[in-house]
């Protein structure tokens, strides 16, 4: 039995990926684009007032726009209601996350205005990729989580560690009582969907072997292969976003 049917998941709509990433993290319909735009406007007003007081002219704050873009400051402000913080992957404070990534609660990642969430459900072996460009959440083993984070960071993603206590979600309780997926035999025909490091396409590879060394080798090959796919969907997503919101 897997968690996927019970995980709150929003598929990509327009370019509302910031909304999707936040709701996936919090496991509920907590934010709309209107809510995030209100936060963005508040931050813009505060920053513009500060620049005016400092005598800075010719610059305007831009924490959001009509196309659906939202800055990391908007996301951090939205999460502050739950006392959640975003810590940069490259910071001193994130050293433990770099060494033992499975022990954190979640990560929010960004590239080319696309946001997505990697989230743990209750136990270190229950990580899922909640990228809204996928058809559904995909399971991440502890090994693949570490490799994925290293790879996407090397591909110029901004990775943020989520620190704090997430709102309690029913699916977390379910995750705590289910067996570790690695202990469940897989049918020989089953495939596992892997995330493409380029951000907007998915690659499907054959089921990984049980042996840990073989698993790491095959995962490395899968990531390398996925990186060969062109990242030409970004312009298409931006075009659809502009059609939806104007601008």
């Amino acid at each position: 039995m897997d968690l996927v049917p019970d995980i709150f998941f929003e598929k990509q709509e327009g370019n509302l990926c910031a909304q999707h990433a936040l709701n996936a993290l919090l496991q509920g319909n907590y934010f709309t684009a209107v809510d995030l735009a209100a936060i963005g406007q508040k931050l813009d007003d505060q920053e513009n007032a500060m620049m005016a007081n400092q005598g800075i002219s010719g610059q305007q704050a831009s924490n959001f726009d009509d196309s659906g873009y939202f800055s990391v400051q908007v996301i951090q402000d939205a999460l502050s209601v739950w006392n959640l913080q975003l810590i940069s992957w490259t910071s001193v404070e994130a050293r433990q996350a770099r060494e033992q990534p499975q022990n954190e609660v979640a990560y929010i990642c960004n590239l080319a205005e696309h946001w997505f969430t990697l989230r743990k459900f209750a136990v270190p072996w229950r990580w899922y990729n909640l990228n809204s460009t996928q058809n559904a959440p995909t399971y991440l083993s502890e090994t693949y989580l570490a490799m994925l984070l290293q790879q996407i960071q090397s591909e110029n993603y901004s990775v943020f560690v989520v620190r704090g206590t997430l709102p309690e979600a029913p699916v977390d309780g379910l995750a705590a009582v289910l067996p570790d997926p690695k202990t469940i035999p897989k049918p020989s025909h089953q495939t596992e969907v892997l995330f493409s490091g380029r951000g907007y396409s998915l690659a499907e590879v054959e089921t990984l072997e049980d042996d840990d060394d073989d698993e790491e080798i095959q995962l490395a090959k899968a990531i390398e292969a996925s990186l060969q796919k062109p990242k030409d969907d970004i312009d298409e997503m931006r075009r659809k976003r502009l059609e939806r919101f104007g601008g």
Side-chain angles (χ1 to χ4, degrees):
M1 180 180 180
D2 194 40
L3 288 182
V4 171
D6 297 282
I7 293 175
F8 181 89
F9 179 77
E10 295 177 343
K11 292 184 64 174
Q12 188 75 22
E13 179 183 352
N15 204 42
L16 302 180
C17 49
Q19 169 193 316
H20 302 323
L22 282 168
N23 288 340
L25 173 69
L26 301 171
Q27 283 299 286
N29 189 23
Y30 286 90
F31 290 101
T32 67
V34 174
D35 298 327
L36 297 181
I39 295 174
Q41 186 63 65
K42 178 192 70 174
L43 294 176
D44 281 357
D45 291 344
Q46 292 173 349
E47 293 175 17
N48 288 333
M50 184 180 299
M51 288 189 287
N53 290 335
Q54 295 174 351
I56 300 174
S57 60
Q59 297 183 27
Q60 290 291 316
S62 181
N63 285 288
F64 78 110
D65 60 32
D66 291 339
S67 69
Y69 159 75
F70 297 102
S71 69
V72 65
Q73 287 83 1
V74 172
I75 293 178
Q76 175 62 85
D77 191 277
L79 292 176
S80 66
V81 176
W82 290 272
N83 294 319
L84 295 170
Q85 291 185 315
L86 298 181
I87 308 297
S88 173
W89 174 259
T90 58
S91 68
V92 174
E93 294 89 340
R95 181 177 60 84
Q96 276 190 307
R98 294 191 296 271
E99 295 175 354
Q100 299 289 333
Q102 74 278 7
N103 291 336
E104 301 295 331
V105 297
Y107 300 91
I108 290 183
C109 311
N110 171 262
L111 177 68
E113 301 181 6
H114 180 66
W115 296 93
F116 69 94
T117 295
L118 307 175
R119 190 190 193 276
K120 178 175 70 178
F121 291 91
V123 288
W125 54 85
R126 279 286 180 182
W127 278 89
Y128 286 81
N129 181 350
L130 305 180
N131 193 334
S132 57
T133 61
Q134 302 177 147
N135 290 325
T138 52
Y139 169 73
L140 299 174
S141 68
E142 295 163 83
T143 299
Y144 186 57
L145 171 69
M147 294 180 66
L148 175 59
L149 286 166
Q150 291 176 3
Q151 186 64 48
I152 63 177
Q153 199 278 329
S154 71
E155 288 296 312
N156 296 320
Y157 277 76
S158 296
V159 178
F160 299 93
V161 184
V162 179
R163 289 275 169 83
T165 303
L166 294 173
E168 185 176 351
V171 69
D172 287 304
L174 180 60
V177 299
L178 290 178
D180 185 338
K182 296 190 296 296
T183 66
I184 303 174
K186 297 180 180 179
S188 59
H189 66 276
Q190 185 175 338
T191 59
E192 182 174 352
V193 178
L194 299 180
F195 172 78
S196 167
R198 289 294 184 183
Y200 298 98
S201 61
L202 299 173
E204 189 170 83
V205 298
E206 292 182 358
T207 304
L208 306 176
E209 299 293 338
D210 291 335
D211 182 80
D212 288 340
D213 293 336
D214 289 343
E215 180 184 20
E216 293 190 11
I217 292 172
Q218 292 187 47
L219 284 170
K221 289 180 178 179
I223 293 175
E224 182 179 0
S226 72
L227 294 178
Q228 305 306 313
K229 290 184 175 291
K231 192 177 62 177
D232 55 25
D233 287 346
I234 298 177
D235 290 338
E236 177 65 13
M237 289 181 67
R238 186 174 291 112
R239 181 187 67 78
K240 291 180 178 179
R241 182 182 65 182
L242 291 172
E243 286 178 356
R244 178 179 176 85
F245 294 98

